[in-house]
Amino acid sequence: MNTHFVKRLQKEIGKGNVLDSPASLLIYSYDSGVDKALPGAVVLPQTASQVAAVVGLARREGIPFVARGAGTNLCGCTIPVPGGLVIHLSRMDRVLKVDAHRRRAVVEPGVVNLRLQKVLVPYGLTYAPDPASQKACTLGGNAGTNAGGPHCLKHGITTHHVTGCEVVLPDGTFLRTSIDDPGYDLTGLFVGAEGTLGIITQIEVGLLPLPEDVRTFLVSYPSIEAAVQSVTDIISSGIVPTALELMDRVTVEAVEEFVHAGYPRGVEAVLLIEVDGPKERIRRESEKLRELCQKNGGGDIREAQNEREREKLWEGRRGSYPAMARLAPNVLVEDGVVPRTRLPEAVKRIRAIAAREGIRMGLIAHAGDGNLHPNMIFDERNPEETRLVRAAGYEMMKVCVELGGSISGEHGIGIDKREAMRWLFTPQTLTVFRKIKTAFDPDNLCNPDKLIPVAEQPGRGLDHGSLAVPVAAPSQSSGTLEAPEARGAPSQSSGTLEAPEARNELPDSGVLPIQNVEHLQRVLRGARAAGRAVFLKGLGTKGFPIPSGALILALDGLKSVVDYDKENFTLSVQCGWTLPELGALIGPHSQFLHIDGGGTLGGILSARASLKPRLRDQVIGMKCVLSDGQLVEFGAKVMKNVAGYDAAKLFLGAWGSLGVITEVTLRLFPFPPEEPFVKNPRPETSRGEDPRRAIYQKIKNIFDPAGIMNPTIKWEEPTVAR
Amino acid sequence: MPVEPIRFPDIQTHPAVLTKSIDKAHYEDTLHCNRCGFCTSSCPTYIATGDEGLSPRGRNQAFRAVLEGRLKDPAEAERFFSTCLMCGICTSVCFSEVPTAELMSAARGTVMGKQGEPWFLKISLRFFLPRPGLLEPMLKILFIGKRIGLSGVLNRIGFLRLISSQLSAADEMVDSVPVRFLRDRVRPYPPAARDADVIHFLACGPNYLKPEVGEATARILKRAGVRFGYVKNVCCGLPGTTYGDLPAARALAQKNIELLEDHPNAVILLDDSSCAASVKDYPALFRDQELPSGDDWRRRAEAVSRRTRDLSEWLVEKGIQFPHLTETTSVTYHDPCKARYAQKIVHPPRALLSSLPAVSFRELPEAEQCCGAGGTYCFAQPEISRAVLDRKAGNVISTKTDGVLTSSVSCLLQLQFGLRRLGSAMRALHLSEFLSPPDKNR
């Protein structure tokens, strides 16, 4: 790196906070994954303003930079661009505030996850996400990758618990966000963005009270299938364990060899089950659990009798990856997710791949949400072996996509899985991701070339190197899986060609009932060609003021049930449904939505009608039609999914200003909501300078550059002083 | 706009080409680190600096890179190797049990050509430590200088720093020095009989810096009614191991092994955990297969190692009672890393202190963390050492007990320094001193 730049860095943040010796650069060339690249310099800022200064300097010099926490990432998220700048946030490790009353804490990004947990104990509080690496990984890294963990089955992953953040944007300016703000959910966008949209310098997290009682069980099974059936039965029974961890035979053997956690040897699968909550309920649930496990052939049920035994059982689980690591210089930890009921099939096919290639592999899964981790051992010094293992990993991800899942449940995309994004997302959706990246980082300097496939090379996606495994058409009934990018989606043809014809369909004013998604696409193309402003209407219950003479699209006719998967507790429907109608559909199966509000589902989502339970935690997938008629989709039919930007959250509370939500995939529950609903009052707005306004405008431009979607929406500073 | 994709990764590693079997063994050890990073947040120097290079993972990767020839100038990595406290906490949290402390000793020695070794230590190791008859008068001259305030004056005018920054740090840290060493003070006790039960090994810390500790230990032994005595042991060799000067360490170990073999059935008792760990680890000094008669020495070292006990461990093993401790007091305990990690002694001191009716024992927060002393580390790396120490002293003070106990003189001096630094009136004592306070009526 040029010495001039290093000198400027030293001047800006102090000599002791800049490293550029060859040895230091070598030490910052890796994280826990396979890829390595040599940076040009490393900075260790101590304050957010130092981060901003460094970013500003890097931008002026055109030098790419990447933020790094503990470097425990497994997919190359924190690998620098060769010759670029590493911003190591380990020196920003203060817990700034614990507000026990509001149950929130504010931390700097370098705070280690487990340290926050320890700080919270005296308050009787806990921070729910607990990645297996929690001993080392930082909350900044957790936020960047939207980390999960064994205990997120009940309490959710990082995005459910980050309530706000302070970000240094790629231009060196600060932005503060909160999920309580009106306007687009920027917090949700930054969480899981892998540091590609800015560097998080402060995180506000929500906290939970420590449970009254915790019980932990270890159960052995004669087969993976039997274990997964137990999991399904447990969840269907209405019990929501905090953790349902599956480990296969190879893993158990490796773990026992070292940890001596008392896991049974010689069994095909074990489940580690934990329930928490009020004493009396836990007692009841524990009895029920034992019964359900035994019913499916679960034997040798062990319950931890005290905290030490509990810790020992968990040590066995946490040791699964490092225990494999003892067997070889490297472990490739894959991270796929499938609808839970497809787990046995996924396991079978993944094992077949490993067996065919002669790869030693242990399997673990967060079985409750279908997230599985094949741990393959190899030696990175052998290029052929490395290539083989990586190719096998890719093939395994393909299996997950084919089974209706995703290529990452919690580790992220990074460098490792960029190309695999093409299997999951359509070219239109990838284009949206690229536009999001460009809107925030026009110079492409902020952790560039991560998360999104680099260049647009349609047709190449499935022929990845020597790995030409044809992707079968999705086996589910419905089209929840859009054609992968490589298969050349038909809707890619430019919409404007059809515009003149579509324009003729538009009435001069009044309400136009939309018949189906294709109709909607046609109408929007026409409106855009004609420069007509478009307003959306469901049943008209929101009382949103619409200018006279405007073109109003009535969406209450969009009413297909795309997919109702009772066993996996997911429902994919179009947005014209009302909640009573959906209740009639799922009620007979004793399933419930944790959503409330009047009018259509589309209206409820667009207006972010309920504050509690949070609407943003209920939506796992979404399809939208944008103002150019393009159909884009985010998320998948799985509970955990960190592939791509969480753009679906932007549409919640957007009041139709970004596009039309045509379809959502929602979480279902075997019980009604436990807390009372809190209705969202219409966002109060007033005049004022808000740094977020410029960002909101950028986001609007990504989705609706013509500005025809509900142009009366203008987000402003909330009246409440911050 | 088509963008040229950035090429990740740009580093490819290749197996190291090594000839010596000991290097190969070390290289194998580095390969077991697969960079999971779990060790980082436990490492005192990483906690203090946040620098990946000063984490166990960074150190292992640097050593591996040196062995693989990926670092053009290995001296570049000197800072990573020399700043390791060798506490061993990383190995205790590592699922692959990578022996980072041992590797750092190797890195300092084999790779760095002993660059990490300060000049005065080198002279001491080779010349004075094997010859107590020369060492002791020499030390006395130094100590008299310290006592009459000469060193303080020299330090203030910057003279000590001019000779060695380590001397300067040492002068600042060590509050007082004895004029009579332990060897003189235990003269009244007889030399060890061939069939003695216990050899009280004179470790350098208690011998030269805190003779009152060794005296207290002797009182405990006397009161317990065991047949004990002394041999003319030399330094255990720990400084040599620490700085990677293994030949020097080996020579010292061999001398001690020979002396101790004269009392084949005696327990070798050390009241300094660092030296206890060092003696217990003698077999590792002869791990190198290419050493002349290495196998023979390793066997002899193993026999000595098996008989060696750290004080707290022996007290609990023998069930020694302390009925004279009647004064009500509260204490906390600091584990020397060489007890906790090198010897895996965690339970004995706690069991012992909890069993004393008049004593209320309170656990120390972050008890698993090093105090930053690390033998001579506190002189060699004062900046990091003091950052580590301040955290430790803060934790000690937070227990609101009457005092903190420990079982290594290096830790003891460090804790006393740390409490002084933070202006605390709390006392730090060696376990022996606490269990057998000097008789005030004498």
Side-chain angles (χ1 to χ4, degrees), chain B residues 69-265:
Chain B
R70 282 189 283 132
L71 203 56
K72 280 197 196 82
D73 181 6
E76 285 280 359
E78 193 271 338
R79 194 172 61 95
F80 304 159
F81 304 151
S82 64
T83 51
C84 174
L85 272 159
M86 316 275 248
C87 67
I89 190 173
C90 50
T91 309
S92 80
V93 299
C94 173
F95 287 89
S96 303
E97 295 175 296
V98 176
T100 307
E102 199 183 312
L103 289 172
M104 287 307 101
S105 162
R108 289 172 193 181
T110 323
V111 182
M112 300 311 307
K114 296 177 267 313
Q115 286 190 17
E117 196 177 3
W119 62 267
F120 62 87
L121 196 86
K122 196 169 185 169
I123 297 173
S124 306
L125 266 171
R126 298 294 172 111
F127 191 71
F128 287 113
L129 285 182
R131 298 176 181 84
L134 286 174
L135 172 67
E136 290 176 8
M138 176 76 190
L139 274 177
K140 280 190 180 163
I141 294 168
L142 274 175
F143 283 8
I144 287 165
K146 167 85 185 166
R147 280 176 81 95
I148 60 171
L150 181 65
S151 66
V153 174
L154 292 178
N155 206 2
R156 270 195 296 279
I157 62 171
F159 183 71
L160 288 188
R161 187 170 295 274
L162 203 64
I163 309 177
S164 158
S165 63
Q166 307 201 4
L167 275 182
S168 157
D171 177 64
E172 199 179 330
M173 212 195 108
V174 179
D175 194 29
S176 65
V177 289
V179 276
R180 276 183 78 218
F181 295 147
L182 182 59
R183 202 183 290 277
D184 306 326
R185 298 191 195 196
V186 296
R187 285 254 156 80
Y189 299 106
R194 187 171 159 77
D195 60 346
D197 297 327
V198 169
I199 302 291
H200 182 196
F201 190 104
L202 293 179
C204 295
N207 190 9
Y208 301 130
L209 287 166
K210 287 275 176 191
E212 56 271 31
V213 168
E215 282 183 305
T217 309
R219 282 196 296 274
I220 293 173
L221 290 170
K222 196 177 173 201
R223 196 176 283 129
V226 294
R227 290 178 305 153
F228 72 101
Y230 296 85
V231 294
K232 289 183 171 165
N233 66 271
V234 292
C235 163
C236 67
L238 180 60
T241 317
T242 307
Y243 286 95
D245 193 346
L246 295 189
R250 244 177 246 129
L252 291 163
Q254 284 167 330
K255 196 157 186 176
N256 286 328
I257 290 170
E258 280 168 348
L259 282 168
L260 293 165
E261 280 170 345
D262 290 341
H263 309 272
N265 298 316

Side-chain angles (χ1 to χ4, degrees), chain B residues 256-316:
Chain B
N256 286 328
I257 290 170
E258 280 168 348
L259 282 168
L260 293 165
E261 280 170 345
D262 290 341
H263 309 272
N265 298 316
V267 164
I268 300 153
L269 182 71
L270 288 99
D271 44 13
D272 191 300
S273 296
S274 307
C275 309
S278 162
V279 174
K280 281 186 182 177
D281 206 28
Y282 273 173
L285 286 174
F286 305 98
R287 182 182 163 191
D288 189 344
Q289 310 253 317
E290 287 158 25
L291 283 176
S293 56
D295 282 347
D296 180 41
W297 275 110
R298 194 163 54 246
R299 251 194 334 275
R300 294 170 72 179
E302 273 159 11
V304 164
S305 172
R306 271 195 298 277
R307 291 194 279 141
T308 304
R309 295 289 182 278
D310 200 347
L311 179 71
S312 66
E313 167 183 48
W314 183 79
L315 292 174
V316 170

Side-chain angles (χ1 to χ4, degrees), chain A residues 30 32 37 70-71 90-91 135, chain B residues 9-10 35 41 49-50 52 57:
Chain A
Y30 58 76
S32 297
S90 59
R91 289 182 181 170
K135 206 173 203 167
Chain B
D10 73 340
R35 303 190 297 266
S41 59
T49 63
E52 173 76 20
R57 174 173 63 175

Side-chain angles (χ1 to χ4, degrees), chain A residues 208-497:
Chain A
L208 298 175
L210 281 169
E212 194 182 308
D213 197 12
V214 181
R215 294 211 195 181
T216 310
F217 302 86
L218 187 75
V219 191
S220 323
Y221 287 91
S223 69
I224 297 267
E225 285 79 3
V228 173
Q229 191 53 51
S230 269
V231 170
T232 299
D233 288 355
I234 290 166
I235 289 176
S236 305
S237 76
I239 300 173
V240 186
T242 40
L244 268 172
E245 300 288 298
L246 175 82
M247 293 160 73
D248 79 343
R249 185 176 180 150
V250 178
T251 307
V252 169
E253 299 288 329
V255 164
E256 264 314 293
E257 198 61 44
F258 171 60
V259 184
H260 314 299
Y263 279 41
R265 294 199 169 201
V267 298
E268 280 307 312
V270 299
L271 274 183
L272 181 65
I273 308 171
E274 190 161 285
V275 283
D276 73 10
K279 271 201 164 66
E280 180 49 31
R281 197 177 83 198
I282 292 311
R283 196 189 53 75
R284 277 199 317 270
E285 291 191 348
S286 299
E287 277 169 32
K288 182 85 185 156
L289 269 178
R290 284 173 180 272
E291 196 182 298
L292 292 169
C293 291
Q294 278 160 355
K295 196 189 107 195
N296 288 296
D300 192 17
I301 303 178
R302 292 179 203 180
E303 181 178 347
Q305 297 302 317
N306 51 46
E307 184 54 33
R308 213 174 41 129
E309 285 185 27
R310 174 175 173 254
E311 191 41 47
K312 200 76 194 163
L313 288 181
W314 273 107
E315 211 178 294
R317 163 59 189 82
R318 289 193 204 104
S320 58
Y321 151 70
M324 291 301 287
R326 300 180 76 222
L327 306 176
N330 300 83
V331 189
L332 184 86
V333 187
E334 263 307 346
D335 168 38
V337 57
V338 293
R340 192 189 55 250
T341 50
R342 314 297 293 265
L343 263 180
E345 196 182 342
V347 168
K348 207 169 137 196
R349 289 176 62 183
I350 284 172
R351 279 186 169 166
I353 294 167
R356 190 192 70 213
E357 303 295 344
I359 294 168
R360 282 179 78 187
M361 177 187 78
L363 257 174
I364 56 164
H366 309 299
D369 33 36
N371 188 191
L372 51 90
H373 299 306
N375 292 326
M376 294 173 274
I377 57 176
F378 68 106
D379 185 342
E380 67 184 355
R381 296 170 302 164
N382 181 336
E384 181 50 28
E385 201 177 305
T386 308
R387 196 200 59 78
L388 197 75
V389 167
R390 295 189 118 172
Y394 252 57
E395 209 180 329
M396 291 169 186
M397 293 309 97
K398 232 171 241 178
V399 167
C400 294
V401 175
E402 285 172 34
L403 295 175
S406 171
I407 55 174
S408 179
E410 54 186 7
H411 292 173
I413 302 301
I415 311 171
D416 216 34
K417 297 184 177 180
R418 284 179 301 182
E419 287 305 313
M421 289 284 281
R422 296 185 205 276
W423 313 333
L424 201 59
F425 294 103
T426 61
Q428 291 78 11
T429 308
L430 288 177
T431 301
V432 167
F433 288 163
R434 290 191 186 100
K435 283 182 180 166
I436 292 174
K437 170 69 174 161
T438 309
F440 281 87
D441 182 24
D443 304 322
N444 198 33
L445 294 175
C446 185
N447 203 11
D449 289 6
K450 308 282 171 72
L451 190 82
I452 314 170
V454 182
E456 296 178 63
Q457 298 159 301
R460 190 184 149 246
L462 288 181
D463 287 328
H464 189 74
S466 61
L467 221 195
V469 184
V471 172
S475 44
Q476 301 103 305
S477 52
S478 62
T480 43
L481 232 182
E482 200 60 32
E485 190 175 33
R487 273 183 276 150
S491 50
Q492 203 180 10
S493 60
S494 168
T496 44
L497 283 176

Side-chain angles (χ1 to χ4, degrees), chain A residues 48 89 91-99 104-120 127 137-143 158 161-167 176 199-207:
Chain A
L89 298 167
R91 289 182 181 170
M92 291 175 63
D93 64 346
R94 291 175 300 166
V95 175
L96 298 171
K97 193 165 102 182
V98 177
D99 184 340
R104 298 229 173 143
V106 180
V107 300
E108 290 187 325
V111 173
V112 170
N113 180 298
L114 191 63
R115 212 187 111 222
L116 176 62
Q117 309 283 10
K118 284 186 182 158
V119 168
L120 294 175
Y127 172 67
C137 65
T138 62
L139 290 161
N142 290 175
T158 301
H161 300 279
V162 172
T163 55
C165 45
E166 177 192 81
V167 183
R176 271 185 173 276
I199 297 177
I200 298 178
T201 48
Q202 248 181 47
I203 309 160
E204 187 190 58
V205 293
L207 308 171

